[in-house]
């Protein structure tokens, strides 16, 4: 599974706090587990918010995730737990909802899968115009925005990867 997200570090935490983000939603993140690394027990994704209402919407969206949690930095014990998570404790991989690279470009293999998805699920013709693909997150779910210049669709990255 493709994992384009950056690790949650103390530097990232400090930068988010400096920009006014004070609420963090934690959720399970299976893409963050390297199945070849038996030392990793769990992987989590942290999404930062300035507004508790938006954080609560995210929390509702992931309501079935048994490992979900909302941290509020004004609570000293939760801030300390965030600092521990940002330190990448043994057995865990913690990621933040930011891409590791400034600009995401699909690999050749991913490009093939995107083409397969377009052929299977759209009526777009490759010769009509070039297809653009942009990666984004929606409540912790990696999504692709595919456009042929005239039309645009949003699809889960996992749906494209299956092809």
């Amino acid at each position: 599974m493709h994992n384009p997200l950056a690790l949650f570090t103390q530097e990232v935490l400090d930068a988010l706090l400096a920009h006014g983000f004070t609420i963090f939603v934690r959720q399970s993140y299976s893409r963050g587990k390297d199945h070849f690394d038996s030392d990793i027990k769990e992987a989590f994704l942290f999404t930062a918010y300035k507004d508790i209402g938006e954080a609560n919407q995210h929390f509702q969206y992931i309501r079935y995730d048994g490992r979900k949690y909302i941290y509020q930095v004004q609570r000293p014990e939760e801030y300390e737990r965030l600092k521990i998570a940002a330190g990448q404790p043994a057995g865990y991989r913690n990621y933040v909802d930011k891409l590791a690279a400034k600009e995401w470009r699909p690999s050749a293999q991913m490009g093939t899968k995107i083409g397969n998805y377009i052929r299977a699920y759209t009526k777009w013709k490759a010769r009509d115009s070039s297809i653009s693909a942009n990666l984004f997150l929606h409540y912790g779910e990696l999504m692709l925005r595919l456009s042929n210049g005239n039309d645009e669709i949003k699809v889960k990255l996992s749906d494209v990867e299956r092809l």
Side-chain angles (χ1 to χ4, degrees):
M1 249 189 291
H2 179 61
N3 177 26
L5 300 185
L7 284 173
F8 186 46
T9 64
Q10 187 63 51
E11 293 80 17
V12 169
L13 176 58
D14 292 343
L16 290 168
L17 293 172
H19 284 90
F21 292 94
T22 59
I23 304 155
F24 293 78
V25 174
R26 179 192 73 198
Q27 67 190 98
S28 299
Y29 184 60
S30 60
R31 284 180 184 277
K33 270 188 94 168
D34 181 350
H35 298 288
F36 298 109
D37 187 348
S38 60
D39 293 335
I40 302 301
K41 298 179 222 171
E42 287 189 273
F44 294 106
L45 173 61
F46 289 80
T47 304
Y49 290 95
K50 295 178 180 179
D51 179 70
I52 189 68
E54 290 178 19
N56 282 330
Q57 285 179 334
H58 183 156
F59 200 73
Q60 269 304 110
Y61 188 83
I62 61 169
R63 67 184 162 273
Y64 299 114
D65 182 345
R67 303 294 283 144
K68 68 186 178 301
Y69 192 82
I70 291 183
Y71 297 86
Q72 296 181 43
V73 297
Q74 68 269 24
R75 295 183 177 152
E77 68 279 3
E78 291 185 1
Y79 176 61
E80 289 304 315
R81 289 175 64 198
L82 276 170
K83 288 189 341 187
I84 291 168
Q88 298 294 321
Y92 297 89
R93 282 289 177 266
N94 298 310
Y95 294 87
V96 67
D97 69 333
K98 308 292 180 225
L99 296 177
K102 286 191 178 227
E103 190 174 327
W104 180 81
R105 296 218 186 270
S107 65
Q109 181 183 19
M110 182 59 66
T112 299
K113 290 180 182 226
I114 290 169
N116 292 342
Y117 184 89
I118 288 169
R119 281 188 289 285
Y121 296 103
T122 73
K123 294 181 181 184
W124 297 356
K125 302 291 183 211
R127 65 183 175 275
D128 291 343
S129 63
S130 63
I131 307 295
S132 68
N134 299 92
L135 190 65
F136 69 100
L137 280 138
H138 177 70
Y139 294 136
E141 178 80 45
L142 283 166
M143 306 283 292
L144 282 174
R145 182 178 294 111
L146 303 174
S147 173
N148 69 355
N150 298 319
D151 297 312
E152 179 180 282
I153 58 172
K154 297 174 185 170
V155 59
K156 291 180 180 180
L157 179 63
S158 58
D159 290 346
V160 173
E161 288 175 321
R162 288 188 196 116
L163 299 178

